[in-house]
Amino acid sequence: MSAESTPEPGTPGGKGRRRKPRSKGRKGLLVTAWVAAGIVVLGGTGAGYLYFKLNGNIKSVDIDQALGSARPTKVDNGSENILVLGSDSRSGSNKKLGGGTDDGSARSDTAMVVHVYEGHKKASVVSIPRDTLIDRPECTGTDGETHDAATNVMFNSAYTTGGAACAVKTVESMTGIRMDHYLEVDFSGFQKLIDELGGVPVTTTKNIEDAESHLDLKAGTHTLTGKQALGLVRTRHGVGDGSDLGRIQLQQAFIKALVEQIKDVGVFTSPKKLYDLADTATKTVTTDSDLGSVNKLMSFANGLKGIGSKNMTMVTMPVQYDPADPNRVIVEEAKAKQVWTALENDRAIPRSATEGTATGQAKGVVTS
């Protein structure tokens, strides 16, 4: 099943068939593209030294304090909205992976709004193309610095300008929906996490070659290493029309493959594997302050353990190519409104919201 053709939340995988009982490892099928594998294993770690070491790994930012009260109203209907970012850092160990110079800058290379429905048994994931032209609101970063509003700028400039707080402010301005939580993962941690999982099996229906992303995959089935997986979720020249939209389709397909892989890894049978994954995951993730401890992450993950890949609807925010610049996209406002209204009211995203929108022409290139 392709990333853009998943069933509506709660739709059975097939009529007349009994579902197999979930394996123990399936409790990791939850929230984010890249952090799902690591956060769930925290529940198996012991107390004492290991707990405090893992707790000390976690970085958090106080989004609520930075943004204040001028935000969408928090909806109390049992659902949750999480902004998930993959950061394209140019500093430290990410320099080699992200490219460019070690100038300490960063961009939101990947952005997804994850809506967890009431009951926490299904979720919708909406990818926001980083090349989307938007009006960025005035915002205050977590360092207290205020940044002026800007018009007709790329979406990922929000993170570059004011970090996590400005990214959240921008998404809330675009969607009219309050983000309950924030999760960010960096390149180097993502690569290491995939390697510690033993790789992720995917099938490519076409050759994918992109020198810029260090990726060379022939059509067929592969178990991707961390380096290959990173190349896959970053490539924009190896498939489709070379746009960010094509890359998003690969990312969504990879997420589904990753989710399926987690249940087969058997991390609960090996204390060392369990700890290594937890250690890497907690070093990789940055959260909002409400999730900034091992206990809070454990509770959060446990509340989402029932969400599997079959219960995840993945779409791209409705956009069209910018007539003035084919390397940019613009929001298709009426259709985007359908998406955000559905999530605000805890309903399934209607198919009409994404029909006829730009896709990047990479659909079906990667399958799990």
Side-chain angles (χ1 to χ4, degrees):
M1 182 178 292
S2 70
E4 292 282 358
S5 61
T6 55
E8 296 295 323
T11 300
K15 296 182 179 179
R17 293 183 298 171
R18 295 184 62 186
R19 291 188 177 182
K20 295 180 181 179
R22 283 191 174 92
S23 64
K24 199 170 185 180
R26 198 170 182 83
K27 66 170 61 178
L29 309 184
L30 34 136
V31 141
T32 98
W34 301 337
V35 199
I39 297 221
V40 70
V41 303
L42 297 175
T45 60
Y49 169 75
L50 295 182
Y51 171 86
F52 287 108
K53 184 177 188 303
L54 293 175
N55 211 55
N57 288 344
I58 301 171
K59 301 179 290 294
S60 65
V61 290
D62 194 338
I63 301 293
D64 290 340
Q65 182 178 22
L67 299 187
S69 59
R71 304 177 65 186
T73 302
K74 185 177 179 67
V75 178
D76 186 17
N77 62 6
S79 67
E80 286 188 297
N81 297 294
I82 305 104
L83 176 61
V84 180
L85 294 186
S87 63
D88 183 2
S89 175
R90 299 308 198 231
S91 61
S93 58
N94 281 343
K95 175 186 175 183
K96 184 184 297 184
L97 301 175
T101 58
D102 188 6
D103 61 3
S105 65
R107 298 178 300 179
S108 54
D109 192 62
T110 300
M112 299 177 177
V113 173
V114 179
H115 178 83
V116 181
Y117 290 87
E118 180 185 10
H120 291 204
K121 299 298 183 183
K122 54 189 177 182
S124 285
V125 181
V126 184
S127 296
I128 302 177
R130 71 178 193 178
D131 296 339
T132 307
L133 295 177
I134 60 156
D135 292 336
R136 191 182 69 231
E138 179 185 284
C139 61
T140 301
T142 49
D143 59 0
E145 183 179 355
T146 299
H147 303 276
D148 293 336
T151 60
N152 205 40
V153 296
M154 285 172 57
F155 167 76
N156 69 341
S157 71
Y159 182 88
T160 304
T161 299
C166 282
V168 171
K169 181 76 170 182
T170 299
V171 170
E172 291 184 342
S173 176
M174 293 169 59
T175 65
I177 300 172
R178 186 185 181 102
M179 296 297 108
D180 298 298
H181 293 298
Y182 172 82
L183 288 170
E184 178 186 329
V185 64
D186 67 21
F187 276 173
S188 59
F190 169 73
Q191 178 170 317
K192 186 177 181 183
L193 197 61
I194 297 302
D195 283 334
E196 288 177 354
L197 280 169
V200 175
V202 300
T203 297
T204 61
T205 59
K206 298 179 181 178
N207 295 343
I208 304 177
E209 185 175 356
D210 182 1
E212 291 187 22
S213 296
H214 312 290
L215 190 64
D216 185 5
L217 296 176
K218 303 300 181 185
T221 300
H222 311 268
T223 298
L224 301 187
T225 65
K227 182 177 180 180
Q228 290 172 318
L230 182 61
L232 182 70
V233 299
R234 293 188 64 229
T235 185
R236 61 187 298 165
H237 303 295
V239 295
D241 61 7
S243 72
D244 191 41
L245 299 177
R247 171 169 54 183
I248 284 173
Q249 291 191 343
L250 295 184
Q251 290 169 352
Q252 292 176 343
F254 181 79
I255 291 167
K256 286 187 171 282
L258 173 60
V259 163
E260 287 303 307
Q261 169 69 351
I262 294 167
K263 73 178 188 291
D264 297 324
V265 169
V267 296
F268 294 92
T269 63
S270 169
K272 184 179 186 306
K273 180 182 284 288
L274 187 69
Y275 175 75
D276 287 345
L277 282 167
D279 187 43
T280 297
T282 49
K283 287 177 180 176
T284 298
V285 68
T286 299
T287 74
D288 64 279
S289 55
D290 285 345
L291 295 179
S293 72
V294 169
N295 280 342
K296 291 177 180 178
L297 281 173
M298 284 169 57
S299 177
F300 181 62
N302 188 58
L304 300 169
K305 65 183 180 182
I307 301 175
S309 63
K310 303 297 184 184
N311 307 111
M312 295 172 65
T313 296
M314 306 191 74
V315 303
T316 301
M317 182 179 71
V319 294
Q320 295 293 354
Y321 296 104
D322 180 8
D325 184 350
N327 293 316
R328 302 288 179 263
V329 295
I330 53 178
V331 180
E332 192 162 345
E333 296 289 351
K335 288 182 177 290
K337 181 66 174 176
Q338 290 184 55
V339 172
W340 308 131
T341 298
L343 298 190
E344 184 179 13
N345 292 284
D346 203 37
R347 297 197 308 262
I349 297 171
R351 295 187 184 277
S352 59
T354 54
E355 289 176 347
T357 57
T359 65
Q361 302 173 21
K363 184 177 180 179
V365 173
V366 172
T367 60
S368 58

